[in-house]
Amino acid sequence: MDKKQVVIVGAGISGLLACKYCLSKGLNPTVFDLESGIGGVWAKTIKTTRLQAPKDLYQFSDFPWPDSVVDVFPTHQQMLEYFHSYATRFDLMPHIKLQSRVSSISYDGPSSQAWSLWNGIGEMSSSKGKWNVTVTDTRTTTTQVYIADFVILCLGRFKDVPNMPKFPVGKGLEIFRGKAIHSMEYAAMDDDKAEAFVKGKKVVIVGFGKTGLDIARECASINGPEHPCTIVYRRDHWKLPDWAPWGIPLTYLYFNRFSELLVHKPGEGFVLNLLATLLSPLRWGVSKFVESYIKNKLPLAKFDMVPQHSFEKDTRSCLILYMPEPDNFFDAVEEKSIKLKKSQSFCFYENGISIDEDNTQIEADAVIFATGFKGEKKLKNIFGSSTFGHFIAGSPRVPLYRECIHPQIPQLAVIGYSESLSNIYTSEMRAKWVAALLEGVFKLPSVNEMEKDIARWDEYMKQSTEEYHYRSSVGALEIWYNDQLCKDMGMNRLRKNGLFANLFEPHGPLDYVKVP
């Protein structure tokens, strides 16, 4: 029997995992990536960027970090070396075609709109159509169409399509005399070029997430108070000085089954619903416990940086931010190497930006937008069919069953779009799940049932993360989410030995090393 041909788009973490688990099931995967190396978002990043989560939470289940990496939060270079070692260990490189742009995918098969079961049958083994994947080799500019039985999109959300704010006519980039770029362009520069871009300049950084923080620290280190940089941002989010508030590892507060009993979950039964309701005061107390530690360790109040919402909300939205060496950052703020300015909106004038709320003008030679990416647009644009493009990105949240499958798009999965507090861990579970589906270990439910499940998760995300529900985050519900995948694959959902361990010990990647 011929091996099923699987095309995987993207050679970041999710693409490597998808390739590895497809190979383990006897499939024939080919991975395409536009870049010249593997690693996805880690392949081009800022010099000082480090992993935000402790490495124990961010590792492959069957390929732990080597003993030589002693840092709890590895550097981006250590991350790349780890990914290359993984690809070498499982012989993935022969299946990866770099510098290959996937410009379009189009489905050749029956319409999905009348299906009651996904793919017309609910399984992969009797697929009724094929995908035509158009790929251009960027070195030779030659284009080839590959035929695939199945496509896995591992495009990632944090690269390629920058999210840029829009400005009124006459108040945008066209009138600014300086240089304005997105953080994607800054990250793509080599270290010397990046330093030259900001050296001796007044820099404004728009956005105060991880990327904005890293760029600001680099600017402060290079220029000092003589040429201060200014961070302009909308709202504050909780920043972690470390992962052990008041000496208790955060994993014991948010990464075990007991912690998930405190919160409502999509699809929970009566007993779990009652428990979450009764334990809600404890959930509130845990959040306040962590907040009190952060406010004690960091001078947030002094610099008007105390968030107006709970730590729990940022956890569920995957918006908490680990701040390495926080004293250095706040020293830079104190000495005016870094300035902070909150504003809901701004516009440009010839010599910088103007804050709308108070008409403050901030002079700038360079503006760097650390404003994120439009991951849903990247997903939408890869489809040759406008119908499929609308299916995948027709609402604020990409609607996927198990955060992997769209009920109306046949023979295709998405891995790595929905995020968690440890994306490598979540992507590996999804790669296992998709590979098990392709092997025929289980069948999907009806299209109607999948859509109902998607609606339940959507409602949960709206209630728990409110305006951030479009982020498709399963933050602080990783174990519950993994339980659904384990149940589908026939794996034991209890991953530890003994009731106490399963209830109170933190769960991480190594607990899920066994595949079905």
Side-chain angles (χ1 to χ4, degrees):
M1 180 182 291
D2 291 338
K3 292 184 177 181
K4 294 289 185 182
Q5 303 295 314
V6 180
V7 163
I8 300 166
V9 186
I13 295 167
S14 297
L16 297 178
L17 286 162
C19 182
K20 187 257 189 182
Y21 283 101
C22 283
L23 286 170
S24 74
K25 301 301 182 183
L27 304 168
N28 186 25
T30 303
V31 185
F32 296 104
D33 196 286
L34 176 61
E35 304 296 342
S36 58
I38 65 172
V41 68
W42 288 98
K44 290 182 178 179
T45 190
I46 297 160
K47 179 181 179 180
T48 55
T49 297
R50 285 181 172 268
L51 184 62
Q52 284 216 82
K55 67 182 180 189
D56 288 348
L57 284 179
Y58 204 91
Q59 61 183 331
F60 301 106
S61 68
D62 53 359
F63 192 74
W65 281 94
D67 293 338
S68 58
V69 178
V70 297
D71 292 329
V72 177
F73 302 94
T75 66
H76 78 272
Q77 187 58 44
Q78 289 172 319
M79 296 296 301
L80 283 177
E81 291 171 359
Y82 180 51
F83 300 148
H84 278 276
S85 296
Y86 179 81
T88 300
R89 166 65 180 81
F90 294 104
D91 200 26
L92 305 184
M93 293 309 297
H95 302 274
I96 299 174
K97 295 182 181 295
L98 299 170
Q99 294 179 280
S100 299
R101 181 193 303 274
V102 177
S103 57
S104 175
I105 61 173
S106 59
Y107 183 68
D108 185 9
S111 171
S112 64
Q113 295 180 340
W115 291 346
S116 61
L117 295 175
W118 180 78
N119 198 37
I121 53 174
E123 60 185 21
M124 173 60 187
S125 59
S126 301
S127 55
K128 295 184 176 181
K130 302 285 185 181
W131 282 97
N132 300 311
V133 183
T134 303
V135 182
T136 300
D137 186 318
T138 59
R139 294 160 293 188
T140 64
T141 69
T142 56
T143 297
Q144 183 176 345
V145 177
Y146 293 80
I147 309 300
D149 298 295
F150 198 89
V151 170
I152 305 177
L153 299 179
C154 303
L155 298 172
R157 287 175 51 182
F158 304 112
K159 63 191 296 281
D160 297 331
V161 183
N163 177 40
M164 294 288 285
K166 295 181 180 180
F167 301 95
V169 176
K171 294 185 177 181
L173 295 173
E174 71 277 5
I175 66 168
F176 180 48
R177 294 175 181 171
K179 179 71 173 178
I181 63 172
H182 190 268
S183 60
M184 178 178 72
E185 298 174 70
Y186 182 83
M189 299 177 186
D190 63 43
D191 295 345
D192 291 340
K193 188 175 181 181
E195 179 175 345
F197 181 79
V198 301
K199 189 171 185 178
K201 297 184 178 71
K202 297 175 182 177
V203 180
V204 168
I205 299 157
V206 182
F208 199 6
K210 174 60 175 171
T211 302
L213 172 64
D214 286 345
I215 296 174
R217 298 179 86 149
E218 288 194 3
C219 288
S221 175
I222 293 168
N223 289 328
E226 293 79 15
H227 299 284
C229 72
T230 303
I231 303 174
V232 176
Y233 66 108
R234 289 182 175 178
R235 60 181 65 89
D236 291 294
H237 291 284
W238 290 98
K239 294 169 175 58
L240 284 170
D242 55 63
W243 273 66
W246 300 116
I248 300 177
L250 201 67
T251 50
Y252 281 90
L253 301 176
Y254 286 99
F255 284 84
N256 60 18
R257 288 187 181 277
F258 181 76
S259 69
E260 294 193 3
L261 289 178
L262 311 186
V263 298
H264 291 290
K265 296 167 282 292
E268 65 187 358
F270 173 76
V271 173
L272 290 178
N273 181 285
L274 179 62
L275 272 174
T277 301
L278 294 175
L279 294 173
S280 60
L282 181 55
R283 179 180 74 239
W284 176 87
V286 169
S287 185
K288 292 302 176 186
F289 174 81
V290 178
E291 291 168 25
S292 69
Y293 175 75
I294 295 173
K295 288 188 283 189
N296 179 265
K297 291 284 288 186
L298 303 179
L300 301 184
K302 178 178 180 179
F303 297 108
D304 189 26
M305 293 173 61
V306 178
Q308 299 302 304
H309 54 269
S310 68
F311 179 82
E312 180 189 11
K313 182 176 180 179
D314 270 357
T315 301
R316 299 200 172 286
S317 307
C318 293
L319 286 170
I320 57 172
L321 174 66
Y322 166 61
M323 179 182 278
E325 299 179 347
D327 290 345
N328 290 348
F329 173 81
F330 287 104
D331 286 347
V333 176
E334 186 75 54
E335 70 178 15
K336 298 294 191 294
S337 295
I338 296 174
K339 297 181 179 180
L340 305 172
K341 181 67 177 180
K342 270 184 280 196
S343 173
Q344 292 300 307
S345 61
F346 68 92
C347 60
F348 281 90
Y349 74 104
E350 292 87 347
N351 297 319
I353 67 171
S354 178
I355 305 300
D356 291 342
E357 283 91 336
D358 56 13
N359 292 320
T360 300
Q361 290 188 333
I362 302 173
E363 291 187 8
D365 303 304
V367 175
I368 303 174
F369 289 93
T371 45
F373 297 83
K374 293 183 176 181
E376 77 289 346
K377 185 175 181 180
K378 184 165 55 168
L379 275 178
K380 180 179 181 179
N381 290 347
I382 201 170
F383 289 97
S385 164
S386 60
T387 301
F388 284 168
H390 178 74
F391 283 161
I392 204 76
S395 63
R397 190 177 84 85
V398 173
L400 300 171
Y401 176 69
R402 299 291 195 249
E403 301 301 308
C404 292
I405 296 286
H406 193 289
Q408 296 289 353
I409 302 180
Q411 297 160 234
L412 179 136
V414 178
I415 299 178
Y417 184 84
S418 174
E419 62 182 320
S420 72
L421 294 173
S422 178
N423 287 327
I424 193 172
Y425 165 36
T426 310
S427 288
E428 183 162 15
M429 289 299 295
R430 291 170 184 162
K432 292 178 181 180
W433 186 86
V434 170
L437 173 65
L438 295 180
E439 189 186 22
V441 170
F442 65 93
K443 292 184 180 181
L444 294 172
S446 70
V447 168
N448 184 52
E449 289 172 326
M450 286 194 285
E451 289 177 340
K452 286 181 179 179
D453 189 80
I454 291 169
R456 282 194 293 268
W457 276 87
D458 194 50
E459 184 60 29
Y460 157 75
M461 290 178 183
K462 286 178 180 177
Q463 291 180 358
S464 63
T465 63
E466 297 174 337
E467 70 271 25
Y468 299 115
H469 88 281
Y470 69 91
R471 295 177 63 87
S472 299
S473 165
V474 297
L477 269 191
E478 283 93 342
I479 301 172
W480 174 259
Y481 172 73
N482 286 342
D483 282 352
Q484 318 308 310
L485 303 186
C486 288
K487 180 181 177 182
D488 292 342
M489 294 185 286
M491 294 173 64
N492 186 356
R493 285 175 283 179
L494 300 180
R495 309 304 299 175
K496 294 179 178 291
N497 295 321
L499 177 62
F500 184 89
N502 272 295
L503 192 58
F504 293 106
E505 287 186 6
H507 283 55
L510 301 186
D511 293 309
Y512 294 89
V513 64
K514 293 181 181 179
V515 298

